[in-house]
Amino acid sequence: SIDSFEPGLQGSLNGNISVNLSYIDERLKRDGGSVYHARLLDTRLSWQFNLRQRLRLALQYGSTEFDQSLNSFPVPEEASDIGTQLVYSYKINPRSVFYAGYSDSYTGSDAIDTYQTERSLFLKFGYAWQPCLPGRQAHDAVLGADPELAQHVHAQQIDIGIWVGGDHRVTDDIS
């Protein structure tokens, strides 16, 4: 059976700084023992300078303990990983945003020393637009006068990015 516990905490200070903490504790039990016991702490701090600019720091720490006798393949007794990401975002307009950031991650276990698994610098530009429709069709779609036409008018988005190094998972959103 899997036992899981997932508390969290959210809050903001003076409306510009927000904090989001979450913790996951999960254990897989079998044959009178724990196949694994995993813990993940996810901390996210965000500072909204103004309507257009935000800085976000994400820190994740995970550790897993394994019972080697209950695993059918070789596993370490304990493994851990750490990940960080710092992202600056600038909203050019309601549909366009620019991101610049840095991320890295480390992993280790009782069998090997902790080492860096990835590091990256990135720039990303996202732009969304709606396709142009000729005169009366655009008017009807926007006002909802032609519901069938309106359901086919969706915003399109293009993302252009430059990365140096490993992974670039920008998890920030435009809103």
Side-chain angles (χ1 to χ4, degrees), residues 140-153:
D140 290 349
V142 170
L143 294 179
D146 185 345
E148 188 163 322
L149 180 61
Q151 73 182 5
H152 297 293
V153 179

Side-chain angles (χ1 to χ4, degrees), residues 8-153:
L9 178 66
Q10 290 183 349
S12 66
L13 306 169
N14 72 15
N16 293 344
I17 298 173
S18 63
V19 178
N20 186 348
L21 300 171
S22 64
Y23 177 75
I24 299 172
D25 189 296
E26 182 178 284
R27 184 184 309 254
L28 174 61
K29 295 180 179 179
R30 185 182 75 205
D31 299 332
S34 293
V35 176
Y36 70 84
H37 184 188
R39 298 171 191 92
L40 176 68
L41 177 62
D42 187 351
T43 305
R44 296 180 187 248
L45 303 169
S46 181
W47 183 5
Q48 188 80 38
F49 299 111
N50 54 43
L51 288 174
R52 293 180 182 258
Q53 299 179 82
R54 178 169 60 175
L55 186 65
R56 185 180 57 80
L57 174 65
L59 305 168
Q60 288 186 332
Y61 173 74
S63 69
T64 307
E65 298 166 359
F66 299 94
D67 184 336
Q68 294 175 325
S69 67
L70 295 175
N71 281 279
S72 58
F73 49 89
V75 293
E77 285 185 25
E78 185 175 337
S80 62
D81 56 69
I82 300 170
T84 63
Q85 185 180 69
L86 182 65
V87 178
Y88 168 78
S89 60
Y90 181 79
K91 190 183 294 188
I92 298 163
N93 61 46
R95 294 179 178 239
S96 303
V97 67
F98 167 78
Y99 300 100
Y102 171 82
S103 66
D104 63 12
S105 61
Y106 297 83
T107 192
S109 71
D110 59 332
I112 57 171
D113 291 335
T114 301
Y115 64 95
Q116 189 168 39
T117 55
E118 66 182 57
R119 175 178 18 180
S120 63
L121 291 170
F122 54 87
L123 299 173
K124 180 179 176 182
F125 176 74
Y127 176 74
W129 75 93
Q130 285 189 317
C132 293
L133 296 172
R136 185 70 190 170
Q137 284 184 320
H139 178 268
D140 290 349
V142 170
L143 294 179
D146 185 345
E148 188 163 322
L149 180 61
Q151 73 182 5
H152 297 293
V153 179

